[in-house]
């Protein structure tokens, strides 16, 4: 048979597209775009940051003292009152023309509207997109709001962080997360957006209220529990000896505690900046606390809510045989002696369960719950039950009762457990 003239088929003609496999490919072309953005930023502890002889802040603003430069200072209101004149004098000395946006600190101000106001201040000064910087000076609230605004404005303008609280210096000021609260949800709207530089001057801590020093100490205790047994021992000695406020006074022990805490935190954050891995030891104390922090009335500070969460985690680890009775006691005692709450009446087992469900969504379908595996190490679990939460809550209430905190004594459930 000739190849040129095929013979007619002996069978009746079949429909042309009888099965889906016969369907023709849709016309079109496909491109795949892949890119990587390197991230690099410096974290410095610098004393005397506002001394005009110290070039660190000027350099971070891109100033050399010769060529006029401009920046937008986004500053916490209390910091503005206490340090505003010195910041202005410093920037003037370095020929930096400064524009100012003063924002209230404290959690209630951490809202979308504040971030929008910061972007409006950028428009008002006519911020140049690449060369002129935002300098955020304040606690975690102002840093998170200013960083969020910087990440949104023209899809990202450079910013510098100057944290002025203990919590800011060991945590909020050194990572890449920004955000604002929304509804009853902490940091529900946010971005990953690295600063160019973070400059920590421990001298700012001298004016921070005692309760806010203890608030920052909670996050230091977290780092000690999950990563650094030596830091834990150092904290026990400091808190029972010189007291938590000694961390604000400078000195070699305070420097050691703060620098160990920063180093531990950066060590955990660096390989996982965008949280691709959702098993994060630094999430310790941050499973139940987001639900508690905005519901408590009067409000709890971030670190206080983290402490109540950590106390539950200590009990959970103890009941799973991961933490000895002695170490569980040391952990709860350290938090209590530091002045942190261990329980809160809002924390019912129902709320714990609800918070865990929300954390499961945040952690993409699994609990990924960090628990201490001895002091200074963590392991992750995915099978916590309501009964365990209930038992953990009762355990903490009992221990808190024995330690005798004022809040715990007010708690009627605690009295029931204790009797
Ligand atoms: N982005 C992150 O990775 C990250 C990490 C941890 C916490 N956070 C966030 O940080 C926030 C808490 O930060 P915070 O504890 O610093 O609270 P904050 O920013 O509200 O500051 C606490 C109080 O101290 C005042 N203040 C600031 N510096 C001062 C100074 N030097 N002297 C006197 N008063 C001063 C503030 O006006 C405020 O009243 C929370 O919203 C939390 O979600 C963010």
């Amino acid at each position: 048979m000739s190849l040129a003239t095929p013979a007619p088929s002996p069978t009746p003609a079949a429909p042309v597209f009888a099965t889906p496999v016969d369907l023709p490919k849709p016309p079109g072309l496909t491109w795949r775009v892949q890119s990587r953005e390197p991230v690099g930023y410096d974290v410095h502890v610098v004393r005397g940051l506002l001394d005009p002889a110290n070039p660190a802040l000027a350099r971070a603003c891109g100033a050399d003292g010769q060529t006029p430069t401009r920046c937008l200072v986004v500053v916490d209101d209390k910091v503005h009152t206490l340090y505003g004149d010195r910041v202005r004098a410093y920037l003037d000395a370095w020929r930096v023309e400064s524009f100012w946006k003063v924002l209230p600190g404290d959690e209630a101000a951490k809202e979308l509207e504040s971030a929008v106001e910061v972007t409006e201040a950028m428009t008002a000064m006519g911020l140049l997109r690449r060369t002129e910087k935002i300098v955020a000076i304040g606690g975690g609230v102002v840093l998170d709001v200013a960083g969020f605004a910087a990440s949104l404005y023209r899809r990202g303008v450079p910013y510098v962080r100057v944290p002025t609280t203990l919590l800011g210096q060991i945590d909020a000021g050194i990572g890449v997360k920004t955000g604002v609260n929304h509804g009853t949800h902490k940091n529900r709207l946010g971005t990953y957006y690295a600063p160019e530089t973070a400059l920590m001057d421990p001298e700012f801590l001298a004016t921070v209220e005692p309760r806010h020093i203890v608030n920052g100490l909670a996050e230091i205790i977290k780092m000690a529990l999950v990563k650094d047994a030596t830091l834990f021992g150092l904290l026990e000695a400091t808190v029972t000896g010189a007291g938590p406020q000694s961390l604000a006074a400078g000195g070699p022990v305070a420097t050691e505690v703060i620098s160990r805490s920063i180093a531990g935190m950066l060590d955990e954050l660096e390989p996982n900046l965008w949280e691709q891995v959702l098993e994060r030891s630094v999430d310790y104390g941050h499973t139940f606390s987001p639900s508690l922090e905005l519901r408590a009335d009067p409000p709890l500070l971030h670190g206080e809510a983290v402490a109540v969460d950590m106390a539950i985690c200590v009990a959970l680890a103890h009941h799973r045989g991961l933490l000895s009775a002695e170490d569980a006691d040391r952990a709860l005692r350290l938090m209590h002696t530091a002045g942190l709450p261990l329980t809160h009446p809002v924390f019912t087992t129902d709320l714990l369960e609800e918070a865990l469900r929300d954390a499961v969504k945040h952690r993409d379908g699994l609990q990924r719950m960090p628990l201490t595996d001895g002091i200074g190490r963590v392991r992750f679990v995915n099978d916590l039950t309501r009964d365990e939460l209930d038992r953990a809550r009762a355990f903490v209430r009992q221990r808190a009762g024995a330690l005798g905190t004022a809040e715990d004594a007010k708690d009627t459930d605690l009295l029931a457990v204790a009797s």
Side-chain angles (χ1 to χ4, degrees):
M1 183 190 298
S2 157
L3 288 174
T5 51
S9 167
T11 50
V16 179
F17 302 124
T19 61
V21 285
D22 292 332
L23 285 171
K25 298 239 173 349
L29 298 167
T30 304
W31 283 263
R32 178 171 171 75
V33 179
Q34 263 188 311
S35 175
R36 275 169 200 269
E37 190 187 344
V39 169
Y41 60 97
D42 299 310
V43 176
H44 300 281
V45 175
V46 190
R47 286 182 186 276
L49 190 69
L50 302 183
D51 176 352
N54 185 335
L57 181 57
R59 288 206 183 116
C61 295
D64 60 8
Q66 309 296 319
T67 321
T69 315
R70 302 191 325 151
C71 74
L72 175 66
V73 179
V74 181
V75 63
D76 175 290
D77 56 355
K78 294 203 183 76
V79 175
H80 182 243
T81 306
L82 291 163
Y83 302 95
D85 290 345
R86 285 177 65 197
V87 175
R88 196 180 292 277
Y90 177 94
L91 294 173
D92 287 350
W94 284 88
R95 300 195 69 194
V96 182
E97 185 185 0
S98 53
F99 298 79
W100 291 67
K101 176 69 191 167
V102 180
L103 285 181
D106 300 323
E107 211 56 39
K110 195 174 172 183
E111 53 183 12
L112 189 57
E113 188 50 36
S114 303
V116 172
E117 281 178 27
V118 174
T119 64
E120 286 165 357
M122 297 180 208
T123 302
M125 73 169 273
L127 182 86
L128 291 181
R129 187 177 168 190
R130 300 273 184 254
T131 47
E132 295 178 342
K133 324 275 183 201
I134 315 296
V135 182
I137 311 179
V141 165
V142 164
L143 299 182
D144 274 2
V145 170
F148 186 53
S151 72
L152 297 179
Y153 191 74
R154 298 189 191 277
R155 301 188 184 84
V157 291
Y159 75 116
V160 172
R161 283 183 179 155
V162 181
T164 58
T165 58
L166 182 58
L167 191 131
Q169 296 195 348
I170 54 97
D171 192 349
I174 62 177
V176 300
K177 293 207 271 190
T178 79
V180 294
N181 302 329
H182 197 61
T184 54
H185 301 286
K186 280 279 299 169
N187 302 321
R188 183 46 56 96
L189 307 177
T191 53
Y192 297 104
Y193 191 61
E196 289 198 335
T197 310
L199 298 169
M200 256 77 70
D201 184 350
E203 289 171 17
F204 282 117
L205 303 182
T207 51
V208 172
E209 278 180 20
R211 185 178 169 199
H212 283 284
I213 295 296
V214 173
N215 180 46
L217 179 53
E219 293 282 4
I220 300 181
I221 293 174
K222 174 190 83 177
M223 290 314 300
L225 280 171
V226 300
K227 204 175 163 63
D228 190 343
T230 306
L231 178 59
F232 189 87
L234 207 55
L235 289 174
E236 282 183 316
T238 310
V239 167
T240 50
Q245 300 309 316
S246 64
L247 293 177
V253 176
T255 304
E256 169 88 4
V257 165
I258 290 173
S259 56
R260 280 193 93 97
S261 197
I262 293 173
M265 182 70 79
L266 290 177
D267 209 32
E268 289 300 304
L269 295 182
E270 190 189 20
N272 191 24
L273 273 184
W274 291 275
E275 303 182 4
Q276 249 100 15
V277 179
L278 291 169
E279 273 97 11
R280 295 179 358 116
S281 64
V282 288
D283 278 345
Y284 188 76
H286 292 67
T287 302
F288 311 113
S289 60
S291 299
L292 172 60
E293 194 176 331
L294 298 185
R295 279 191 177 91
D297 184 19
L300 283 182
L301 300 179
H302 179 73
E304 293 169 343
V306 167
V308 177
D309 181 319
M310 289 195 293
I312 295 282
C313 293
V314 163
L316 288 169
H318 173 54
H319 288 148
R320 285 199 168 206
L322 295 172
L323 202 61
S324 67
E326 190 196 338
D327 282 349
D329 194 60
R330 284 173 72 200
L332 295 178
R333 191 175 291 277
L334 174 60
M335 288 190 259
H336 168 68
T337 312
L340 288 162
L342 298 178
T343 67
H344 193 279
V346 163
F347 249 3
T348 59
T349 305
D350 284 344
L351 185 79
L352 288 179
E353 238 191 344
E354 187 192 320
L356 186 56
R357 269 197 298 273
D358 198 46
V360 165
K361 287 185 203 130
H362 196 59
R363 297 174 190 164
D364 203 36
L366 289 175
Q367 292 178 355
R368 303 180 210 266
M369 176 83 180
L371 290 181
T372 40
D373 188 2
I375 286 176
R377 279 197 326 208
V378 277
R379 80 159 56 171
F380 294 88
V381 303
N382 292 305
D383 55 353
L384 285 176
T385 63
R386 181 184 168 94
D387 280 355
E388 280 181 282
L389 297 177
D390 214 26
R391 241 181 112 204
R393 209 167 66 91
F395 177 87
V396 177
R397 282 159 186 265
Q398 209 156 26
R399 293 301 305 132
L403 290 165
T405 65
E407 275 138 83
D408 301 323
K410 271 189 256 149
D411 194 327
T412 46
D413 279 6
L414 166 68
L415 297 177
V417 170
S419 55

